[in-house]
Amino acid sequence: MVYCSDFHIHSCLSPCGSLELPPSEIARLLAARGVELAALTDHNSALNCPAFASACRKYGITALFGMEAQTQEECHILCLFNNVDTALELSGEIYGLLPPVMNNPEKTGDQVYVDEEDNILGEVEKYLVTGADLDIYGLADKVHGMGGLVIPAHVDRPAFSLTSQLGFVPNGPWDALEVVRIPSSVDTKGFPLTVSSDAHFPEHIARRTFELDTADENLVSPDGLVDMGVLKRALERRPVS
């Protein structure tokens, strides 16, 4: 089966994201625009993933959960899981590794997490767009050890990417690389490539999607969760340049 997919979406939890993007609205827009497989990846936090899970069930979207983590090198890395609890576990660990820089909503934006009915449950105190005390390889090891997948984000952009921070895409345990467009303008070392919306506002949802071909394998296990082995093998079928 071929899934129209988007693995990089921000909600009202990200300070640079719109308050008009609670998880329920994200799922509604995804369904309306034909996306079948999607991940919620707020900056350094997964606190809106429980509401996203409920919203995706309502709209029939297959969901992944995680975050766009920011490392010591100031690289953005997508960390994806098939269940909310694991995403929240990593979220707590990453939050503890963030510097004590408090968010100022009037200057840098709100960081609110909500329930499935869009009621605000709380606001994150630390500013989420800062680097955790963990390097790219330590993060990858941690995510893989928790059963997740690791996709460095927008590697061909001039900020917060492997190429902007390191000058190149290093060899590493990456399950894929996210680029803005295919073919890519940078050397992607033969890793499978994805694109994404990197949505922060309603009009961004599904502006860039990619096809994920699971061949004759079932992406969703009998327990209702995404089979991460099937997902990884499907990513390996993606273009590499």
Side-chain angles (χ1 to χ4, degrees), residues 59-79:
Y59 287 98
I61 296 166
T62 301
L64 294 166
F65 313 99
M67 70 191 68
E68 182 180 25
Q70 186 169 322
T71 66
Q72 288 175 340
E73 301 91 345
E74 306 293 341
C75 296
H76 286 182
I77 310 289
L78 301 178
C79 309

Side-chain angles (χ1 to χ4, degrees), residues 62-192:
T62 301
L64 294 166
F65 313 99
M67 70 191 68
E68 182 180 25
Q70 186 169 322
T71 66
Q72 288 175 340
E73 301 91 345
E74 306 293 341
C75 296
H76 286 182
I77 310 289
L78 301 178
C79 309
L80 306 178
F81 302 96
N82 65 354
N83 68 90
V84 171
D85 289 344
T86 309
L88 289 173
E89 181 182 348
L90 179 64
S91 179
E93 292 188 27
I94 293 297
Y95 191 75
L97 295 172
L98 296 179
V101 177
M102 299 299 108
N103 188 46
N104 183 336
E106 293 183 357
K107 291 184 177 180
T108 52
D110 297 288
Q111 299 183 153
V112 298
Y113 54 101
V114 301
D115 65 17
E116 59 189 68
E117 297 179 348
D118 300 345
N119 299 304
I120 294 177
L121 299 175
E123 185 163 0
V124 175
E125 293 184 350
K126 287 183 182 180
Y127 182 49
L128 290 174
V129 189
T130 57
D133 188 16
L134 190 66
D135 66 25
I136 56 174
Y137 299 108
L139 175 65
D141 287 346
K142 182 178 289 291
V143 172
H144 283 150
M146 299 170 76
L149 297 182
V150 178
I151 302 178
H154 42 67
V155 300
D156 49 354
R157 280 186 179 166
F160 296 113
S161 69
L162 292 179
T163 55
S164 72
Q165 302 310 110
L166 306 178
F168 63 101
V169 174
N171 289 318
W174 325 128
D175 296 294
L177 300 176
E178 178 197 274
V179 294
V180 175
R181 61 186 56 86
I182 298 173
S184 176
S185 60
V186 302
D187 181 3
T188 52
K189 301 286 183 68
F191 285 101

Side-chain angles (χ1 to χ4, degrees), residues 185-237:
S185 60
V186 302
D187 181 3
T188 52
K189 301 286 183 68
F191 285 101
L193 303 180
T194 70
V195 297
S196 71
S197 65
D198 192 4
H200 289 75
F201 298 90
E203 60 269 27
H204 293 167
I205 297 291
R207 63 178 170 177
R208 288 186 296 270
T209 60
F210 69 95
E211 291 187 345
L212 188 77
D213 186 358
T214 62
D216 58 352
E217 294 189 280
N218 292 323
L219 180 62
V220 181
S221 301
D223 59 6
L225 301 179
V226 169
D227 185 316
M228 299 301 275
V230 172
L231 178 60
K232 182 174 175 61
R233 288 189 289 277
L235 284 171
E236 291 170 352
R237 298 185 185 98

